[in-house]
Amino acid sequence: MRVAIYPGSFDPITYGHMDIIERGCGLFDKVVVAIAKSESKNPMFTLEDRINLAASIYEDNDKVEVVGFPRKLTVDLAKDYGACAIIRGLRAVSDFEYEFQLAGMNRKLNNNIETLFLMSDVENQIISSKFVKEIVKLNGDIKKFTTKSTIKALKEKYD
């Protein structure tokens, strides 16, 4: 079975993330969505909330497993799940430099795990969790960026 890890903060999960997950499912037998605690990013949602939001989207998809990402190296988490690859999504050229360096470090830590860069679909390249949170904070419409359950959870945070 070919397994890939897709790590991130997913604060909150967006259609951009979902695009990468679904495309990863076309390449691998299983995609483990590893949601990091990301304390340094000061997330809006708790780790449990982010896991629940993502898991509810994929509850009927046997190819996707959503897990919390403990404080450990991504390559070690990948090894725990028997993953042969780490999926990273790219929206713009500006993402590439950081992701390239991260992939290089991961390769040095474990050269048995490949990093696969997937470009977001053109429709989703502009979407970022940061912008989604800002738009909802200002009472904007985010239907084009994320799911109904995520919109509801975001609105509850600002009410």
Side-chain angles (χ1 to χ4, degrees):
M1 177 184 279
R2 295 181 51 83
V3 178
I5 296 281
Y6 179 31
S9 57
F10 303 94
D11 185 43
I13 191 165
T14 67
Y15 288 148
H17 296 123
M18 293 167 62
D19 177 43
I20 299 298
I21 293 166
E22 289 164 25
R23 291 176 48 225
C25 286
L27 299 169
F28 296 93
D29 300 311
K30 183 176 192 176
V31 174
V32 177
V33 178
I35 301 179
K37 198 165 187 179
S38 299
E39 292 169 334
S40 63
K41 289 187 173 185
N42 196 21
M44 172 181 278
F45 291 98
T46 66
L47 176 60
E48 185 178 334
D49 288 341
R50 289 179 279 142
I51 292 169
N52 290 337
L53 282 169
S56 69
I57 294 166
Y58 293 101
E59 64 189 353
D60 295 327
N61 186 334
D62 295 337
K63 292 186 88 171
V64 177
E65 180 177 354
V66 179
V67 299
F69 190 171
R71 286 185 55 102
K72 69 181 342 182
L73 295 171
T74 303
V75 292
D76 291 340
L77 186 70
K79 188 176 176 185
D80 291 347
Y81 282 90
C84 62
I86 298 167
I87 296 173
R88 299 300 294 169
L90 296 176
R91 290 175 298 194
V93 175
S94 58
D95 291 343
F96 183 75
E97 186 173 347
Y98 170 78
E99 294 294 345
F100 181 78
Q101 291 175 349
L102 189 59
M105 293 299 288
N106 284 333
R107 184 78 174 165
K108 283 284 192 189
L109 291 167
N110 186 332
N111 65 359
N112 294 315
I113 300 173
E114 295 291 337
T115 297
L116 180 68
F117 296 111
L118 295 176
M119 294 295 297
S120 293
D121 184 89
V122 173
E123 300 250 335
N124 297 314
Q125 285 180 354
I126 59 161
I127 302 173
S128 77
S129 295
K130 178 181 174 183
F131 289 152
V132 168
K133 288 185 282 192
E134 188 66 24
I135 292 166
V136 80
K137 181 179 176 182
L138 298 170
N139 296 314
D141 183 0
I142 57 170
K143 285 187 285 204
K144 295 178 183 173
F145 308 125
T146 192
T147 64
K148 288 180 182 178
S149 59
T150 301
I151 292 168
K152 181 179 182 232
L154 279 163
K155 288 185 176 182
E156 287 173 0
K157 288 286 185 184
Y158 286 109
D159 282 347

